[in-house]
Amino acid sequence: MIKRQNDYDPKSNPHKTHKGLKRVWLATGHSMQGFSFAIREESAFRQELCLALLMLPWVWVFDFSQLERVLLIGSVFLVLIVELINSGIEAAIDRISFEAHSLSKRAKDYGSAAVLLCLLLCGYTWAALLLPFVNF
């Protein structure tokens, strides 16, 4: 078989040399760096994190079932997860070029749309589960 230049060989990747607990330890450090970058540099992530910190205590104030708590917490975490992925997409696009390009815009808009869908799902989940506790 002829090896083409663009074929990916994981064994030749200099960033994939660590195994076992060392790999887990280093991966955890990289994750913490990701959180740090997101908090320092991404205002949308900071805003969503602040909302999460305000919303999550209410999960234990009201008498929710365990499944309802999982749905409420999960919907908030999903927003944060998708925001981090969206930020990663934006960083990768910006790494390639700051030049305006229709495909770069499309990639960023897809990420933004994904965040919006998560925010709508989170809002609906919280409204649906909190509504029975509200007396009008």
Side-chain angles (χ1 to χ4, degrees), residues 5-75:
Q5 186 176 4
N6 292 337
D7 285 348
Y8 174 71
D9 180 12
K11 293 177 185 171
S12 67
N13 186 335
H15 302 290
K16 301 283 183 180
T17 58
H18 304 291
K19 307 238 183 288
L21 291 177
K22 184 172 184 179
R23 189 200 64 78
V24 172
W25 177 257
L26 292 172
T28 302
H30 296 309
S31 297
M32 294 300 109
Q33 286 178 334
F35 283 123
S36 177
F37 286 134
I39 291 169
R40 281 185 286 131
E41 299 176 17
E42 296 294 331
S43 60
F45 184 80
R46 281 194 306 273
Q47 292 166 348
E48 291 156 355
L49 184 62
C50 286
L51 279 173
L53 294 174
L54 291 172
M55 293 168 69
L56 288 176
W58 293 100
V59 169
W60 290 276
V61 170
F62 294 102
D63 188 28
F64 291 115
S65 71
Q66 193 64 26
L67 178 60
E68 290 169 332
R69 283 192 176 110
V70 168
L71 290 171
L72 292 168
I73 294 167
S75 68

Side-chain angles (χ1 to χ4, degrees), residues 73-90:
I73 294 167
S75 68
V76 169
F77 273 57
L78 185 62
V79 169
L80 297 173
I81 291 165
V82 173
E83 184 62 53
L84 287 169
I85 293 169
N86 182 44
S87 296
I89 291 168
E90 290 178 351

Side-chain angles (χ1 to χ4, degrees), residues 64 68 71-72 120-134:
F64 291 115
E68 290 169 332
L71 290 171
L72 292 168
L120 292 172
L121 175 64
C122 183
Y124 175 77
T125 302
W126 278 76
L129 293 176
L130 279 175
L131 206 56
F133 293 99
V134 177

Side-chain angles (χ1 to χ4, degrees), residues 89-103:
I89 291 168
E90 290 178 351
I93 295 297
D94 291 345
R95 163 65 173 91
I96 294 167
S97 174
F98 287 120
E99 179 182 328
H101 190 281
S102 63
L103 291 176

